[in-house]
Amino acid sequence: MENFLKDIKNGIITENPVFVMLLGMCPALGITTTAINGIGMGLATTFVLLGSNIVISLLRKVIPNEVRIPSFIVIIATFVTLVDMLMNAFFPGLHDALGVFIPLIVVNCLILQRAEAMASKNSLGRAVGDALGMGLGFTLAITSLAAFREILGNGTIFEFTILPNFIPLRVMTQSSGAFIALGLMLAFIKWVEITKKGGSRA
Amino acid sequence: MITNILVIVASAAIINNFVFKQLLGICPFLGVSNKVETSLGMGAAVTFVMAMASAVTWAIQVYILEAFSLEYLQTIMFILVVATLVQLVEMFIKKSSPTLYKALGVFLPLITTNCAVLGVALLNVRSEYGLVESVFSGIGAAIGFTLALVLLAGIRESLEEYELPKAFDGLPIVLISAGIIALAFTGFQGFF
């Protein structure tokens, strides 16, 4: 249980996939135009991560070492297909908004990296904890990035207007805004770390 | 036909540039854009794989998935095609040209998880392209990817000479530079 909580905290804070390990950048930049997209993408990725981590952890003694990467990819692709169909059936609007980025979860390097580094070497309990931690960490990171972009680009958050007299910076909802927003957020995190350490102010 | 192909290539390479407009292939874009030379190598390998993958996935889509109404297997089939293709290309280059293999060696396995390759295959199907159109859309996308890598690598090489605020050192300034290039690319919007 202690390990389980530690794995979850590890994924959300210490080794946050987006802000610390810089994994899964394509969806993090590609779909973060609104906070709802961010949550949808984050939860879809969490579902795939949880499913693939469970199956890979259970099969870790069965899969021969030489063919492990192709096997992992097939397992991940299976769960991605599931998510694709489920979202198409129950959240068609979100499915359309995320578009090609849903099948592209299969090449999200975060999922393959967790399969390789964690699920294929650890017991089921730890693999589940890791998947939940990493998935929530990813969801929080891309939702905050998406919220940041939605507020500046549209003056809204989760489609509620919070800045009524604000002239939106349309560029933030475009592709260049994605790069700039993530760059600014990473710089802010770095600045917090530097000042925390008591080093010279940047 | 020829104008149609030119429009597809120009649109994939510049107007809807995969990296700057569609935000695909960001991992290798940030990972291997340290030097102009390595980014050219990566670009060459990606061009080859993308053109091949576009042709093969088109054939699979038309002759297997649609013929037997198995469209739901698209994601699994396409990723396997890309992975196999990368492996084949690696083996082929190793045998036929050891010098090229040495130059590209490190980048080849990385291409499997380049979402731009799978992305172009999926987008070809969604745009309902034929064989020739698919291949040229793959080539155009790869040209755009290479262009993006080389542009950013050039900026990163000169950034190394300047002293930056500590918080912006490393990836933050690279992302912001990429954002500014992307802003310039929006100027191509609505050309056709």
Side-chain angles (χ1 to χ4, degrees):
Chain A
M1 199 60 208
E2 206 174 291
N3 258 342
F4 187 77
L5 291 178
K6 218 167 95 189
D7 282 337
I8 289 185
K9 189 191 156 214
N10 182 47
I12 297 178
I13 299 164
T14 333
E15 287 186 2
N16 187 291
V18 177
F19 293 141
V20 182
M21 305 201 357
L22 306 168
L23 292 170
M25 291 307 223
C26 292
L29 294 177
I31 53 89
T32 49
T33 42
T34 65
I36 291 177
N37 279 359
I39 287 203
M41 189 64 189
L43 293 182
T45 309
T46 309
F47 176 83
V48 175
L49 194 56
L50 189 61
S52 65
N53 257 16
I54 289 174
V55 174
I56 289 166
S57 170
L58 289 174
L59 292 177
R60 69 185 186 280
K61 294 192 178 104
V62 188
I63 299 175
N65 203 32
E66 295 78 22
V67 294
R68 64 178 198 289
I69 301 287
S71 321
F72 294 168
I73 290 181
V74 174
I75 294 169
I76 294 168
T78 310
F79 283 102
V80 172
T81 309
L82 270 177
V83 158
D84 196 0
M85 290 167 147
L86 287 172
M87 284 179 86
N88 199 6
F90 295 107
F91 307 101
L94 194 60
H95 186 264
D96 287 347
L98 298 179
V100 78
F101 279 96
I102 298 178
L104 284 179
I105 297 177
V106 76
V107 278
N108 187 333
C109 18
L110 164 68
I111 297 173
L112 195 61
Q113 201 264 353
R114 292 332 282 170
E116 170 79 356
M118 189 78 188
S120 64
K121 295 190 183 86
N122 288 292
S123 63
L124 182 61
R126 290 208 62 193
V128 170
D130 182 69
L132 288 177
M134 284 289 162
L136 289 178
F138 183 71
T139 309
L140 280 179
I142 64 172
T143 308
S144 53
L145 178 61
F148 181 59
R149 284 180 68 189
E150 196 186 337
I151 292 171
L152 289 179
N154 236 345
T156 59
I157 186 165
F158 292 107
E159 287 169 11
F160 291 114
T161 309
I162 50 162
L163 299 170
N165 295 321
F166 175 71
I167 298 167
L169 301 161
R170 286 280 175 228
V171 66
M172 290 314 273
T173 54
Q174 289 170 356
S175 54
S176 48
F179 287 109
I180 294 170
L182 186 62
L184 290 177
M185 285 180 89
L186 286 178
F188 176 73
I189 290 169
K190 228 173 173 178
W191 175 78
V192 170
E193 273 171 9
I194 292 168
T195 38
K196 234 185 177 172
K197 272 187 207 142
S200 59
R201 279 185 175 239
Chain B
M1 188 67 184
I2 290 174
T3 33
N4 191 17
I5 284 172
L6 273 178
V7 169
I8 287 177
V9 171
S11 148
I14 295 174
I15 300 160
N16 284 320
N17 184 291
F18 259 54
V19 175
F20 293 129
K21 186 74 218 305
Q22 315 211 30
L23 299 162
L24 292 168
I26 303 294
C27 290
F29 171 66
L30 296 175
V32 282
S33 56
N34 290 323
K35 290 205 176 72
V36 173
E37 218 183 328
T38 49
S39 28
L40 280 172
M42 182 73 179
V46 166
T47 311
F48 197 62
V49 175
M50 270 193 181
M52 296 270 288
S54 299
V56 177
T57 50
W58 176 83
I60 287 187
Q61 175 71 22
V62 172
Y63 291 113
I64 301 180
L65 297 180
E66 280 171 13
F68 298 98
S69 28
L70 292 170
E71 281 94 345
Y72 62 91
L73 286 178
Q74 196 186 50
T75 314
I76 298 182
M77 289 292 271
F78 280 16
I79 186 69
L80 283 178
V81 167
V82 172
T84 320
L85 217 53
V86 170
Q87 203 87 67
L88 277 179
V89 167
E90 195 177 346
M91 274 159 30
F92 176 76
I93 295 181
K94 203 175 181 180
K95 264 266 163 54
S96 64
S97 159
T99 22
L100 187 65
Y101 180 74
K102 246 190 194 160
L104 297 183
V106 249
F107 304 124
L108 285 169
L110 271 177
I111 298 174
T112 314
T113 51
N114 182 342
C115 52
V117 178
L118 187 61
V120 80
L122 292 167
L123 289 173
N124 283 342
V125 172
R126 288 177 189 213
S127 329
E128 292 172 353
Y129 285 157
L131 175 61
V132 180
E133 291 165 323
S134 295
V135 171
F136 278 99
S137 130
I139 293 173
I143 294 172
F145 179 74
T146 315
L147 186 69
L149 271 184
V150 173
L151 279 176
L152 189 69
I155 291 181
R156 281 178 86 161
E157 273 181 5
S158 36
L159 268 178
E160 270 170 26
E161 290 162 23
Y162 295 94
E163 206 174 318
L164 296 162
K166 267 202 195 101
F168 279 95
D169 210 10
L171 208 55
I173 192 70
V174 172
L175 281 165
I176 289 170
S177 318
I180 294 169
I181 310 176
L183 202 57
F185 266 77
T186 54
F188 292 111
Q189 216 73 61
F191 245 47
F192 290 116

